[in-house]
Structure formats: structure tokens, C-alpha cells
Amino acid sequence: MAAGLLIIPQFMPARNLAGASVAAEMVFYLADTSDLEPTYTDNTLAVAHPSPLQSDASGYFPVIWADTSKVFDVGFAKDNGEPPLTVTGVSPGTSLTAAS
């Protein structure tokens, strides 16, 4: 397995509609499925992140590594009650815009 970073700029850090930082969480699925897919704490892909992956109170997520052979759908929810979003077709090393 090769490792790559998962970066979703519009959600890192998480912000509310007014632009203020908020706590949030992400859940990673194998693209086009409801199967959870692990992400990892470093480029060895040895230690998986918990699911859902929580940001800190300022909306910052830890570094997210993943297998470059995988494509992800990412469920993103803020702790302030705004509707959740799904980002589809995310590959390590790439970023896409949100589809609600």
C-alpha cells in the first residue's frame, strides 16, 4: 500500500456559515458504498484514526493519511447543528468541492 494525504481544504479547519471555527467530525467511506474505510495517523498506515474523526474545538483535524489505491466519500458534520455534507470521490493527495 502506498500512502497519501487526504486534504479537503474547504473543511480544514471546519467553519460555520458565518465563518467562525467550530468543532466537527468526518467519517470516511469507500466511494459509492456505505462501507467504512480506515484512515491513518501517519504514512506507515499502521495506526488507524478513530471513526468518526473529531476535530479540536477550533475545527482543526489531525493529519489524515490513506491508501492511495482507495477513493473515499467523506461525511462531514459540524457540532453546531448545521446540515451535514458529503464530499464524494476524494483520493489521497486530491481535494474536491462539496456536494450536499
Side-chain angles (χ1 to χ4, degrees):
M1 283 189 289
L5 287 170
L6 277 177
I7 300 170
I8 309 168
Q10 62 271 40
F11 298 134
M12 299 169 100
R15 301 204 181 272
N16 65 15
L17 294 174
S21 297
V22 294
E25 64 184 30
M26 285 193 245
V27 178
F28 300 89
Y29 301 94
L30 191 58
D32 300 319
T33 75
S34 59
D35 299 335
L36 292 174
E37 188 64 32
T39 59
Y40 299 91
T41 61
D42 66 26
N43 65 351
T44 66
L45 306 181
V47 179
H49 278 298
S51 183
L53 180 60
Q54 301 285 326
S55 74
D56 65 16
S58 296
Y60 287 93
F61 289 92
V63 174
I64 304 167
W65 290 90
D67 181 345
T68 58
S69 70
K70 308 287 179 155
V71 177
F72 296 83
D73 291 343
V74 182
F76 179 82
K78 300 173 208 170
D79 287 348
N80 64 356
E82 291 176 8
L85 297 171
T86 300
V87 180
T88 59
V90 179
S91 296
T94 66
S95 62
L96 300 174
T97 57
S100 48

